[in-house]
Amino acid sequence: MATTSLATALADLPIMRASSLASAARTPLQTGSDVEGRYHRVVDGLTGLLGAGLRCGSSYLVEGSTSLSLAMAAGASQDGGWCAAVGMPQLGVQSAAGLGIDLDRFAVVPDPGSHWLDVVATLADAVDVVLLAPSAPAGDGDLRRLAARLRHRGCTLVVHGRRWSGAEARLTVTDSQWVGVGSDGRGYLSARHALVTLSGKGAPVTERLWLPAPDGGVRPVERTASAPAAPMPPSLRAVR
């Protein structure tokens, strides 16, 4: 899928597959020769939704939150894995760091143009988790070939959008509320909580999460807590 010129350009990125750098002390969540039987760890705040983690070689669809997409890659990053973001020019690297991404092992391709499929396919050879915001629809044949490459390499794809054929699961973010601004409009936005629903092969699972929490991470909202909430200001509705 990748053209020679594209592969040459990506070769300049300082990336390699993180699994080749794993120390003898690092133990995968599951062992075995089957890539699809292994998982990339997720941070503790997401285990209620994602359980063992992100299945290697699979794709996940996220609707409504760039923060959630970043948080889903944080566990693999903290374990020494490489991650990448493709087609997300407005991505805030400081927000990524706050959510647990190691910026020293985070490649960013903000504007791949019409070559986004080739870029993802090439990165799948080198990184553990790719975050993607597709700039245009892709044909079913191209998506099948990309899915096969992901499975072969064990790279997990997290798609930020509304539709992706063959996704392992869909995570939808709704009822987003910011914390820190009083009823008089004064104060500073310090955190956000939202409902996150996971739907896939089983029954849907819904959990209210801090995205992000006041300390910058991701974790479930205590059921007994009554944190003051404010609707998201219009000027910040695009900052998700």
Side-chain angles (χ1 to χ4, degrees):
M1 294 173 62
T3 63
T4 301
S5 59
L6 178 62
T8 301
L10 287 176
D12 294 333
L13 292 174
I15 56 180
M16 61 186 299
R17 176 157 284 286
S19 58
S20 67
L21 302 176
S23 66
R26 181 180 168 193
T27 303
L29 290 175
Q30 294 187 8
T31 59
S33 59
D34 182 8
V35 167
E36 294 185 356
R38 300 197 299 268
Y39 294 82
H40 297 301
R41 184 181 67 87
V42 293
V43 294
D44 291 345
L46 293 177
T47 56
L49 288 171
L50 293 168
L54 301 178
R55 187 183 294 273
C56 296
S58 293
S59 300
Y60 293 80
L61 179 64
V62 175
E63 292 184 286
S65 178
T66 303
S67 295
L68 179 58
S69 299
L70 289 166
M72 289 172 65
S77 181
Q78 292 169 8
D79 282 350
W82 272 91
C83 301
V86 178
M88 306 173 77
Q90 304 303 318
L91 183 68
V93 292
Q94 293 305 316
S95 296
L99 288 163
I101 299 289
D102 186 335
L103 299 184
D104 289 334
R105 294 189 301 274
F106 188 43
V108 178
V109 185
D111 186 12
S114 60
H115 299 291
W116 63 268
L117 266 171
D118 294 332
V119 171
V120 173
T122 303
L123 286 170
D125 292 340
V127 308
D128 294 278
V129 180
V130 175
L131 310 180
L132 168 67
S135 59
D140 290 341
D142 287 334
L143 292 181
R144 284 194 296 269
R145 285 188 287 273
L146 178 59
R149 192 181 190 107
L150 294 170
R151 287 194 300 271
H152 179 64
R153 298 300 185 181
C155 177
T156 298
L157 181 65
V158 178
V159 181
H160 181 70
R162 293 187 177 277
R163 185 175 179 272
W164 189 261
S165 176
E168 175 86 4
R170 177 194 301 261
L171 292 93
T172 306
V173 177
T174 57
D175 192 25
S176 178
Q177 297 182 334
W178 286 90
V179 172
V181 177
S183 58
D184 59 357
R186 296 183 179 183
Y188 297 93
L189 296 173
S190 58
R192 180 187 71 151
H193 55 84
L195 283 177
V196 181
T197 300
L198 180 144
S199 55
K201 298 177 182 177
V205 178
T206 298
E207 190 168 20
R208 181 168 287 277
L209 300 178
W210 287 106
L211 282 171
D215 61 3
V218 175
R219 63 173 182 267
V221 175
E222 295 291 341
R223 292 183 180 276
T224 58
S226 56
M232 186 186 301
S235 60
L236 292 175
R237 283 175 184 161
V239 183
R240 296 180 176 179

